[in-house]
Structure formats: C-alpha cells, structure tokens
Amino acid sequence: MTGTTVCRTVVAIALTATLAGLTGCTSSGGPADGGPGGSAPPAATPQPSAPSSTAPPAPSLTGPSAEALRAVERATGRAGSARVESTTVMGSELSLKAAGALGWRDDGLTGTLTITYTGGTTAETMRRLGTTAMEARYLPDAYYAEVGDEFADRVGGRHWIKYVYEDLEYLGGGAGAGFADQMRNTTPNQAVKLLLTAEDVRKVGEEKTRGRRTTHWTGTVGGATAQTVDIWVDDRDLLVKKVERGRTENGELTQTAYYSEYGVTVSAERPPAADTADFKELLASQGG
C-alpha cells in the first residue's frame, strides 16, 4: 500500500470498527467504494436492515406486550449508564469484540470501549498495519479512536483520530445524514423501541442469562429487509442481553451485547490535542 492508501485505510476501518462496536445493527456496513483503500471517504452508517430514519418509527404494538416492553424502555433509559460487553460479526469483512462502560443522558452518549479485532479481512489488514485493538472514547459531540504507532508515524506522531459527529453528516454522498442524532440515540433501550414497532413481537419465555432469571422477547422489524431483535430482561425491567441480526452489503451482521452494573460511573476524557488528528482534516490532506 502507498502511504496515502494506508492512511485512508486506517481512518476508514477505525470508523467502521468504532461504530460496529457501539451500535450493532445500526452501524456501518463498511467503508464506501468497495472497502478499505477506496478512493471515497467511508460512508457513515447506512442502515443494514433497520428502518431508514435515525430513530425507530412510532410504536405500533398495543396490549400487554406493549406495556411490558415500554416498562423496559423506561427503566433502561432512566438507569443512565451500564457496563457493556459485545461481539459483532459483519459478514466476512470484520468480527470484533468490545467491552467498557457507556452512559446516556440528555447531553448525549459518553463512555469508553476497548475494541479488539478478532477476524475477517479488515482485521487482517489492521494486523498487517500493527494494530489488533483500539480504544474508543465517546463524547456528546465527537468520538476518538486510538491508532497504533505505525499509523501515528504517518500523521505527525498522533495516536488518536477525532470524528466530529456533525462532520460525518456530509460524508458518502449523503449517507451520513442524521448521523449525529443517531449517535446521540444509540442506547440500550433503542432495541426495545425497535421491538415496539414489530407486528410479530412475542414473549418467548423465562430463561437464565449469565445466571440471572430473565424474560426473553423476540420480533422482526424492517419490513422487506427484515432484522430480528431479541432481548432478555430481568425482574427490574432492565435489559440484560440483546441480539440483533440483519444484512449489510457485505453479508450477514450479528451483534450480541450484554449489559450489567446499571448506574455505573462513566468517564471519557478527550485525548491531548497535540496527540490527535481530526478526521475531516486528515481526509482533506490525503485528497479526500
């Protein structure tokens, strides 16, 4: 790879991986124009199988199931933060795992995740560039992705890429429209809101999830491009586990996430400015 291609590859992969680790089936299907190293900037979050708007449609479900799920939505939303562990598989392109703590308040999403590449062609590319894991820090206006020393050497020794949400709105020929709102709304109770739009939602039954008694709900959303959503809820109406399955341009996408320690203290510090490269400026300098 040329220096420009390497730079654009890492920027694109960092974007894809950071979003996949966070949002699952509302995350990016991958860099635009055929993958890493393409000539266009990475498109921000095309919807794989979810509704095309940044927030789920108005609830269509009524009756006892709807009331039970709305109780889960309210309780999980009020909790404000949780520890998160997730695994994501995006076809043959990328698989990863993420762990950390996230908070969701009126001013937006905050928190820190450690994202580890575990397989796929994109992970192999990153390994060749000397990176197998990264830290992602989410703040209300932007998120920061850590990169390895080899990439840092190509951008003046800086180890972090800053992605301002508003800047990503204009990428990929409009594919990023609504991106800022989507990032601010990426919270565990979004899966519950999706289920409230499913006409076939049903209570599967009582199950043990990591040793805890939970109630399992399932449903299909998204119409012709169906996405399945499964959630497991404890006796406090808090989400314990979520599984989302859908399709992207790069194949099947599956994310499994576990939530624990609701109300945990969450922190995310901005990296030092001298050690940070701005995503928009970086692409411009590379001819993006």
Side-chain angles (χ1 to χ4, degrees):
M1 292 184 182
T2 65
T4 297
T5 299
V6 168
C7 182
R8 296 179 65 82
T9 295
V10 177
V11 170
I13 293 173
L15 173 63
T16 300
T18 306
L19 298 178
L22 176 66
T23 63
C25 283
T26 53
S27 67
S28 172
D33 267 15
S39 59
T45 66
Q47 303 288 326
S49 298
S52 57
S53 59
T54 57
S60 60
L61 189 66
T62 59
S65 294
E67 292 306 311
L69 289 174
R70 289 193 183 99
V72 176
E73 179 190 352
R74 290 192 296 267
T76 302
R78 284 195 303 264
S81 65
R83 294 202 181 277
V84 182
E85 300 173 54
S86 69
T87 58
T88 304
V89 179
M90 302 172 65
S92 61
E93 179 187 343
L94 177 66
S95 60
L96 55 83
K97 60 182 181 181
L102 295 174
W104 47 96
R105 299 292 183 185
D106 291 340
D107 60 346
L109 188 77
T110 59
T112 302
L113 294 178
T114 298
I115 298 172
T116 304
Y117 309 105
T118 57
T121 55
T122 300
E124 289 301 318
T125 299
M126 293 302 284
R127 288 191 185 98
R128 290 196 297 271
L129 296 174
T131 299
T132 58
M134 73 176 187
E135 182 177 307
R137 299 181 185 179
Y138 303 90
L139 288 98
D141 63 327
Y143 71 87
Y144 297 79
E146 187 182 27
V147 295
D149 290 338
E150 182 173 336
F151 177 76
D153 289 342
R154 300 173 185 271
V155 287
R158 291 169 291 180
H159 292 83
W160 294 87
I161 304 173
K162 177 183 179 180
Y163 298 85
V164 176
Y165 300 144
E166 300 297 340
D167 289 345
L168 295 175
E169 295 272 346
Y170 305 102
L171 293 181
F179 179 78
D181 285 341
Q182 182 176 314
M183 288 298 292
R184 295 185 185 106
N185 291 327
T186 299
T187 60
N189 61 351
Q190 291 302 304
V192 186
K193 291 181 179 181
L194 281 175
L195 272 183
L196 283 166
T197 71
E199 295 182 358
D200 64 346
V201 68
R202 63 186 177 88
K203 179 179 176 180
V204 178
E206 306 296 321
E207 300 178 9
K208 282 288 185 72
T209 304
R210 291 192 164 181
R212 298 163 65 182
R213 180 183 296 176
T214 60
T215 301
H216 179 187
W217 295 85
T218 188
T220 306
V221 299
T225 54
Q227 169 188 331
T228 60
V229 179
D230 288 78
I231 63 170
W232 288 256
V233 180
D234 67 11
D235 57 5
R236 299 178 298 165
D237 289 329
L238 292 173
L239 198 63
V240 174
K241 178 183 177 182
K242 175 199 72 173
V243 177
E244 294 185 45
R245 298 181 180 89
R247 289 197 62 83
T248 74
E249 294 177 358
N250 300 301
E252 296 285 343
L253 186 149
T254 302
Q255 186 193 58
T256 301
Y258 292 90
Y259 304 95
S260 62
E261 295 184 46
Y262 278 93
V264 66
T265 300
V266 172
S267 63
E269 296 183 359
R270 297 182 190 274
D275 198 24
T276 302
D278 184 271
F279 165 75
K280 187 176 180 180
E281 295 175 1
L282 197 57
L283 282 186
S285 70
Q286 300 293 321

